[in-house]
Amino acid sequence: MKILVTGGAGYIGSHTLVELIDAGYEVVAVDNLCNSQKHSLKRVEKITHGNIAFYQIDIRDKEALTQVFKHHKIDAVMHFAGLKAVDKSVQKPIEYYDNNIGGTLALVEVMQNFNCKILVFSSSATVYGDAHKMPIREDFPLSATNPYGYSKLMIEQLLQDVFQAGGGWSIAKLRYFNPIGAHKSGTIGEHPNGIPNNLMPHILRVAMGELDKLNIFGGDYNTPDGTAIRDYIHVVDLAKGHIQALHALIDKPQIITANLGTGNGYSVLDMVMAFEKASGKPVPYQITHRRKGDIAICYADPSYAYKKLNWKAKHGLKDMCQDAWRWQVKNPDGYLC
Ligand code: NAD
Ligand code: UFG
């Protein structure tokens, strides 16, 4: 079977390509490289000894996408392409809606034209807003506080409607919690264009000596140590969740909405300590003001994914930190070296 991976050069897409090739699928990747480098795909080929047919296109370009579908008989799509920085989405809402919603609309239209109706979509735990009960289950109320979150909510609705309209679609909406870590080989990892706002890339920069200290955003949350709690999940576990979802969708046409998380919540200070232990590097920090828009606690109930997809995360915090550190040390300039 041939799988099209949109956003395949990116962080989660590249790790999922490894799992797809290892599972015996043929793969085609498209990416406009707005937040990635195509070297990541070469690295995937190196790890897997596989081949990736790559097209540098924007998925909003229906004509270009159509050409890809004409060249390859695509059986299913894994859709990672999108913009993901919450703060930028507030500054540039039009760009975010255009890219995320426009891209998805173009994709499903071209898929429909080619009668390709199996789709796995990257949603996010952000669709739960500030949930008041933990762990978070899929049937919790949905909300958003920024254009990025709204774009995910709107795409979920769009896909629900496409499924509801009939015609044999089979769709998975996977709600990721906080992906970190890297492939065990240290060959691929997270290397966005520009500086990300996320915790692990900042910890890595401090450990590398590129930053003096980590700013911990908020020490006065209602949590055991006062810092915010998240459900960090190894990116390889996340990637494997996509393979399981794909199997379920191939098995029978259906719509699946599933959390991909570990079910464990760790505070920012837990993360600093776990990283120091795993890497042997100190991570000096200072506790500063809360970051606007942040929530105190967010972790998944992953039991539905286990029941439905026979999937659960296997890696612990130690693996996540060690693998992230290995990638960083082997590739201080990411894919640029
Ligand atoms: P990423 O930025 O590394 O990967 C996204 C890829 O899509 C990039 O390579 C980018 O160049 C490409 N892209 C963006 N817009 C495109 C377009 N219009 N046409 C073609 N390519 C385009 O991000 P990631 O962390 O791998 O995230 C993948 C998906 O998972 C995204 O949809 C993101 O919103 C979602 N997600 C990520 C996280 C996270 O913390 N990383 C959490 C929840 C959900
Ligand atoms: N944090 C710091 N210092 C930093 C960076 C982050 O203390 O330098 C803290 C944050 O305040 C938060 C925690 O570390 O408490 C995690 O922050 P991230 O930015 O890594 O992740 P978020 O949970 O804020 O957001 C992530 C994705 C979003 C997605 C959300 C829910 O980046 O795209 O998870 O899935 F919407």
Side-chain angles (χ1 to χ4, degrees):
M1 282 185 90
K2 208 177 248 192
I3 315 298
L4 173 67
V5 179
T6 75
Y11 175 45
I12 305 170
S14 56
H15 286 81
T16 306
L17 279 166
V18 172
E19 299 304 321
L20 281 167
I21 296 170
D22 281 353
Y25 292 101
E26 284 183 78
V27 292
V28 178
V30 294
D31 201 301
N32 65 1
L33 305 181
C34 69
N35 197 35
S36 53
Q37 298 81 33
K38 66 175 167 209
H39 307 284
S40 61
L41 300 169
K42 288 276 156 246
R43 302 280 187 95
V44 170
E45 290 183 331
K46 192 173 151 197
I47 295 171
T48 57
H49 307 290
N51 286 310
I52 302 168
F54 174 61
Y55 298 87
Q56 185 176 342
I57 63 163
D58 191 302
I59 56 162
R60 286 166 295 181
D61 182 346
K62 276 191 265 180
E63 188 41 49
L65 211 45
T66 298
Q67 289 307 319
V68 174
F69 275 80
K70 274 188 180 160
H71 275 93
H72 300 272
K73 195 196 160 308
I74 305 292
D75 297 294
V77 177
M78 292 208 181
H79 177 31
F80 298 96
L83 300 177
K84 63 168 181 174
V86 171
D87 55 338
K88 284 202 196 114
S89 80
V90 176
Q91 293 151 17
K92 299 187 168 178
I94 300 171
E95 192 184 318
Y96 267 67
Y97 286 123
D98 181 38
N99 196 76
N100 292 2
I101 298 175
T104 305
L105 262 178
L107 176 68
V108 290
E109 194 180 323
V110 175
M111 286 177 71
Q112 174 130 287
N113 291 343
F114 286 84
N115 201 29
C116 171
K117 294 188 172 169
I118 300 177
L119 176 64
V120 181
F121 169 63
S122 303
S123 190
S124 164
T126 195
V127 299
Y128 296 113
D130 192 357
H132 289 296
K133 225 173 91 190
M134 295 292 145
I136 297 174
R137 279 200 327 261
E138 288 84 355
D139 60 355
F140 276 24
L142 304 179
S143 68
T145 53
N146 55 68
Y148 169 71
Y150 277 112
S151 77
K152 292 292 179 195
L153 269 182
M154 289 176 191
I155 295 168
E156 284 207 6
Q157 185 63 48
L158 186 165
L159 296 178
Q160 192 73 38
D161 294 341
V162 166
F163 176 79
Q164 224 76 49
W169 281 84
S170 202
I171 298 173
K173 298 173 281 173
L174 303 181
R175 294 176 178 161
Y176 312 159
F177 282 68
N178 288 56
I180 60 168
H183 190 265
K184 274 246 158 315
S185 62
T187 311
I188 56 170
E190 186 171 16
H191 181 57
N193 297 334
I195 300 164
N197 291 318
N198 302 97
L199 179 62
M200 184 52 83
H202 273 86
I203 290 181
L204 291 169
R205 293 183 76 209
V206 175
M208 291 294 282
E210 292 167 20
L211 289 174
D212 289 348
K213 51 183 172 298
L214 174 76
N215 282 321
I216 295 186
F217 300 136
D220 58 351
Y221 284 109
N222 188 16
T223 60
D225 66 21
T227 66
I229 289 176
R230 296 288 183 275
D231 185 338
Y232 296 93
I233 174 169
H234 197 296
V235 65
V236 171
D237 280 329
L238 193 69
K240 287 180 191 297
H242 289 69
I243 309 299
Q244 292 303 99
L246 179 65
H247 290 164
L249 297 182
I250 292 168
D251 194 39
K252 73 164 191 254
Q254 55 185 317
I255 190 152
I256 298 169
T257 306
N259 287 340
L260 295 187
T262 64
N264 301 312
Y266 290 105
S267 73
V268 180
L269 279 172
D270 289 335
M271 295 303 290
V272 169
M273 283 185 288
F275 184 86
E276 289 184 329
K277 210 168 156 197
S279 67
K281 288 277 176 186
V283 179
Y285 64 84
Q286 66 178 4
I287 301 209
T288 155
H289 54 83
R290 292 183 182 191
R291 188 169 66 178
K292 199 167 162 269
D294 271 357
I295 54 177
I297 308 182
C298 175
Y299 60 92
D301 177 342
S303 56
Y304 181 71
Y306 185 53
K307 197 172 106 195
K308 185 81 191 166
L309 308 176
N310 193 25
W311 170 89
K312 67 175 167 198
K314 295 210 170 91
H315 294 89
L317 218 46
K318 188 177 166 196
D319 286 336
M320 298 185 216
C321 293
Q322 278 178 344
D323 294 345
W325 182 234
R326 185 179 307 106
W327 154 252
Q328 182 66 41
V329 170
K330 281 181 81 171
N331 307 272
D333 298 316
Y335 293 114
L336 301 178
C337 47

